[in-house]
């Protein structure tokens, strides 16, 4: 899911940029400036030469459909992905580095083939219902094109099949009125941008800026072909040493490794985002925005939302299992650090490309409305304590809490187990149980919309 347009005016929108920037300026900015003086020097040298060009056009046309600076302004328009034709990625070295050993046989066997049909059918139905909910909340919903991701493609450096068009959050990031296409790092995602081009061209024609980051060759040199992972312990050791499967051969990054707080944007070095990719973003966005690198005690970093999720001005959810090494800087800057509750999903539940901490990867419709997983009651209670009402699915009903008054709209859909499972099991998987008999049943919202699994955000 990609936040495209947020409400402008009041204390939000562009003014939130100055609010967050002023709160972080004295602490975080100084730290980053000392580390990356070369970038700022380059920016300063080019500022005068660009002065005349700055006057040529209005940087934000009044009728521009794209305007978003953070993760919490009132949401007006959003891109929601599609699960149609989703394919299992080929088992390449970068896929191996981001998955766990117990699932490797699945990828080796089914790489390049579609995920189980029954599960894709459920995924498509639930995402459609989610779009209906967003529309009922007054949000304009856009959808990418449907593409056959099983088609094999070849470049001078590699060949692969695709993955899906289900995660606009991974490949696109909006900064102000600019849409930036991320270069990505998985070979299976090389052509994923094609699903969004029609939408982006429409935004561009209507006044938005459109930038495509340098497309990597994804040659063998971009990956550590001998990346030594066999266990969680191996991952912890490698992460502590700052070693990742992606090298610094060329810039690469996923948009989902960046999170926005007005003028300040935070990024992590991960399995799919390298320092060259972060530096490209820093130089591209300077001097109007500051890109800060933060890091975590995370054995397998990939996408930041389920680790460090900024949900309001100076308000952040910080994963207790993946503590931020720079958290004291945020505390000194006056931020409120909220520790989300332990997810209710069992540790032994199969999560093919994600973690149980998708529970904290929520969607803020504005500062007082949040979309959460219906199963995750503890985090719902957390938001109630923060005086942020929740909207979620409950037993076939969509519940929206506004002004402390629940409003229920009946929907003909029960959220069910929709994550990809081995095909042998897919043919025998029955309908979801109800009531007390039902095991934990992750919805498309927690597996797909907010994280690394089959879906979007």
């Amino acid at each position: 899911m990609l936040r495209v347009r947020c409400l402008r005016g009041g204390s939000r929108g562009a003014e939130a940029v100055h609010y967050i920037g002023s709160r972080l300026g004295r602490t975080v900015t100084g730290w980053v400036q000392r580390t990356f003086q070369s970038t700022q020097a380059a920016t300063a040298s080019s500022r005068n030469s660009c002065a005349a060009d700055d006057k040529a056009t209005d940087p934000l046309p009044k009728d521009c459909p794209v305007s978003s600076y953070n993760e919490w302004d009132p949401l007006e328009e959003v891109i929601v992905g599609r699960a149609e034709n989703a394919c299992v990625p080929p088992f390449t070295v970068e896929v191996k580095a981001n998955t766990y050993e117990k699932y490797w046989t699945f990828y080796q066997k089914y790489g390049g083939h579609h995920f189980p049909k029954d599960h894709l059918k459920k995924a498509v139905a639930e995402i459609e219902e989610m779009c209906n909910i967003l529309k009922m909340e007054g949000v304009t919903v856009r959808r990418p094109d449907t593409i056959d991701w099983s088609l094999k493609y070849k470049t001078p450096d590699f060949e692969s099949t695709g993955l899906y068009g289900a995660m606009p959050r991974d490949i696109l990031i909006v900064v102000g009125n600019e849409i930036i296409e991320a270069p990505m790092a998985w070979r299976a995602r090389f052509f994923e941008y094609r699903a969004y081009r029609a939408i982006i061209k429409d935004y561009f024609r209507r006044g938005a800026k459109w930038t495509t980051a340098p497309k990597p060759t994804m040659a063998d040199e971009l990956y550590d072909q001998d990346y030594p992972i066999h266990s969680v312990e191996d991952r912890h050791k490698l992460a502590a040493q700052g070693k990742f499967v992606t090298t610094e051969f060329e810039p690469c990054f996923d948009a989902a490794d960046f999170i926005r707080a007005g003028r300040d944007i935070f990024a992590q070095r991960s399995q799919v985002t390298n320092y060259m990719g972060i530096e490209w973003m820093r130089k591209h966005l300077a001097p109007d925005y500051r890109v800060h690198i933060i890091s975590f005690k995370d054995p397998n970093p990939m996408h930041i939302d389920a680790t460090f999720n900024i949900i309001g001005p100076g308000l952040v959810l910080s994963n207790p299992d993946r503590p931020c090494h720079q958290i004291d800087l945020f505390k000194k800057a006056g931020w409120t650090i909220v520790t989300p509750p332990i997810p209710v999903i069992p540790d032994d539940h199969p999560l093919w490309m994600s973690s149980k901490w998708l529970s904290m990867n929520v969607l803020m419709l504005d500062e007082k409305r949040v979309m959460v997983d219906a199963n995750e009651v503890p985090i719902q209670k957390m938001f109630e304590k923060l005086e942020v009402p929740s909207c979620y699915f409950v037993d076939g009903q969509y519940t929206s809490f506004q002004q402390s008054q629940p409003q229920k709209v009946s929907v003909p859909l029960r959220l069910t187990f929709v994550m990809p499972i081995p095909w042998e099991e897919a043919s025998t998987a029955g309908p979801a149980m109800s009531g007390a008999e039902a095991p934990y049943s992750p919805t498309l919202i927690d597996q797909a919309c907010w994280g690394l699994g089959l879906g979007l955000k």
Side-chain angles (χ1 to χ4, degrees), residues 183-203:
M184 311 303 287
W186 282 21
R187 288 170 168 175
R189 310 191 76 174
F190 188 85
F191 286 111
E192 196 165 313
Y193 67 87
R194 295 177 63 244
Y196 304 97
R197 277 294 171 89
I199 297 176
I200 297 174
K201 286 188 290 186
D202 175 63
Y203 288 142

Side-chain angles (χ1 to χ4, degrees), residues 186-359:
W186 282 21
R187 288 170 168 175
R189 310 191 76 174
F190 188 85
F191 286 111
E192 196 165 313
Y193 67 87
R194 295 177 63 244
Y196 304 97
R197 277 294 171 89
I199 297 176
I200 297 174
K201 286 188 290 186
D202 175 63
Y203 288 142
F204 177 73
R205 294 186 183 105
R206 294 161 59 194
K209 294 181 179 179
W210 173 17
T211 301
T212 299
K215 200 67 176 173
T217 63
M218 295 190 183
D220 289 346
E221 291 86 349
L222 180 59
Y223 311 102
D224 182 350
Q225 301 293 332
D226 300 314
Y227 192 67
I229 51 168
H230 299 286
S231 65
V232 174
E233 289 73 20
D234 287 342
R235 294 174 187 268
H236 276 289
K237 291 178 182 178
L238 291 167
Q241 297 169 10
K243 295 181 179 180
F244 305 91
V245 70
T246 47
T247 68
E248 298 297 328
F249 175 69
E250 57 190 348
C252 68
F253 65 85
D254 281 13
D257 272 323
F258 295 78
I259 193 163
R260 306 162 306 155
R263 194 177 296 278
D264 295 277
I265 299 173
F266 300 93
Q268 67 169 350
R269 199 337 178 162
S270 76
Q271 298 286 21
V272 294
T273 296
N274 62 14
Y275 289 119
M276 285 189 73
I278 296 173
E279 185 66 7
W280 183 91
M281 281 285 282
R282 178 179 288 111
K283 290 179 177 179
H284 176 73
L285 294 172
D288 295 323
Y289 299 90
R290 299 180 289 258
V291 177
H292 313 283
I293 298 177
I294 53 179
S295 59
F296 309 89
K297 187 179 180 182
D298 185 353
N300 194 40
M302 179 182 174
H303 302 171
I304 199 169
D305 297 18
T307 300
F308 198 78
N309 194 1
I310 302 174
I311 61 172
L315 181 64
V316 63
L317 300 181
S318 183
N319 190 325
D321 282 357
R322 307 169 191 166
C324 178
H325 294 136
Q326 295 82 19
I327 198 65
D328 286 343
L329 295 175
F330 290 89
K331 292 178 179 179
K332 290 178 181 178
W335 284 52
T336 299
I337 314 299
V338 178
T339 301
I342 301 297
V344 301
I345 184 171
D347 289 336
D348 60 353
H349 190 88
L351 291 168
W352 298 90
M353 289 186 286
S354 57
S355 81
K356 64 182 182 180
W357 284 104
L358 290 173
S359 61

Side-chain angles (χ1 to χ4, degrees), residues 88 106-107 115-116 119 350 352-353 417-422 447 453-454:
V88 179
F106 173 78
Y107 287 103
F115 280 104
H119 288 255
W352 298 90
M353 289 186 286
F417 179 83
V418 294
M419 282 173 287
I421 60 176
Q447 164 63 8
L454 178 63

